[in-house]
Amino acid sequence: MDDETEATRLRRLAEIQRLNEFVCLEKDSRDTPPSGVLLCDQIKHYVRLCKMIDPFCEANLKAAGYELTVGNEYSLGGKRMKLADGEEIRIDAFQVAIIKTKETLNLPRFIIARWYIRVRWAYQGLIWVGGTQVDPGWVGYLSCPMYNLSDKPVTLRFGDPIAQMDFVTTTPFNEESAEHQYERPPKRVLFDDYRPESLE
């Protein structure tokens, strides 16, 4: 990151400051915390408590999950681009796109998240290339490569629901014995940090 521009450095500092404002929950203070996959009422509980999903849209909440949407940055054909309301991405046949989510995720230390592409897009030929688990303690946007394996273009618009995410509780977090807890904020805070232009 030594060769980054002053503009990128300022963006990085601003994003680190933004992420540092999110509260990191280390335990559930309730007498009987939930276990297993969180249903919608528990997802809303953590959204209210620590902004687990930000921004949060009630329409994207499902019985046991939440739909993440297409955000304002993506990479296509090795070029990074911005996306605004009303604009769209056309992913041609056999092309790879990397898309950033509109939502910031702020996971407590005792919850993991799992995400996967919505069935609607899978039936149009898009497949998920990245990993599915988001570790406890993660804070930030998510980015994931997707591949159009069909012989037809697929069009995504800013704000389209692209992925379904569910949330699962872990064993209780113990800072003294947690050797591999996720660093906050993470090392990669900008879309640029994933070097999306290197994947064509």
Side-chain angles (χ1 to χ4, degrees):
M1 297 182 198
D2 295 334
D3 58 348
E4 70 181 15
T5 65
E6 180 65 10
T8 302
R9 188 183 74 81
L10 291 174
R11 282 175 49 233
R12 182 181 310 286
L13 290 173
E15 181 64 2
I16 288 171
Q17 182 178 359
R18 185 184 79 87
L19 296 178
N20 278 330
E21 291 174 1
F22 283 87
V23 174
C24 181
L25 292 183
E26 295 192 349
K27 65 178 182 178
D28 194 314
S29 59
R30 294 175 289 180
D31 292 336
T32 310
S35 62
V37 177
L38 300 184
L39 296 179
C40 58
D41 61 327
Q42 295 302 315
I43 294 172
K44 286 172 73 172
H45 169 78
Y46 292 115
V47 168
R48 288 190 298 268
L49 201 59
C50 68
K51 291 188 175 179
M52 187 168 72
I53 306 162
D54 184 52
F56 173 79
C57 175
E58 186 86 28
N60 292 347
L61 184 64
K62 303 303 173 190
Y66 188 86
E67 290 181 333
L68 300 175
T69 60
V70 175
N72 64 355
E73 289 185 88
Y74 69 101
S75 174
L76 197 62
K79 295 180 182 177
R80 282 182 298 194
M81 290 172 265
K82 297 286 187 182
L83 191 67
D85 197 11
E87 295 180 342
E88 61 184 35
I89 307 166
R90 177 188 161 112
I91 308 171
D92 287 327
F94 314 116
Q95 193 173 35
V96 175
I98 303 173
I99 296 172
K100 184 179 92 171
T101 60
K102 182 178 176 182
E103 297 79 12
T104 296
L105 208 62
N106 179 36
L107 291 180
R109 293 281 187 198
F110 51 87
I111 292 177
I112 66 162
R114 300 176 301 196
W115 61 323
Y116 40 90
I117 198 160
R118 288 186 68 217
V119 171
R120 169 190 175 187
W121 300 114
Y123 276 105
Q124 290 190 43
L126 293 184
I127 61 169
W128 214 238
V129 183
T132 60
Q133 179 174 302
V134 186
D135 286 334
W138 168 265
V139 61
Y141 295 108
L142 297 173
S143 300
C144 190
M146 54 189 64
Y147 177 62
N148 182 1
L149 57 70
S150 77
D151 59 356
K152 297 179 178 63
V154 176
T155 301
L156 299 171
R157 292 172 181 79
F158 177 82
D160 273 352
I162 184 68
Q164 175 90 9
M165 174 166 273
D166 60 27
F167 302 89
V168 186
T169 57
T170 68
T171 54
F173 173 74
N174 182 337
E175 187 172 12
E176 294 178 4
S177 60
E179 299 175 26
H180 304 288
Q181 60 180 294
Y182 220 93
E183 186 179 331
R184 288 177 64 103
K187 293 177 183 174
R188 293 183 285 195
V189 297
L190 299 178
F191 187 64
D192 316 30
D193 296 337
Y194 291 90
R195 300 184 61 235
E197 70 281 355
S198 65
L199 188 58
E200 297 184 35

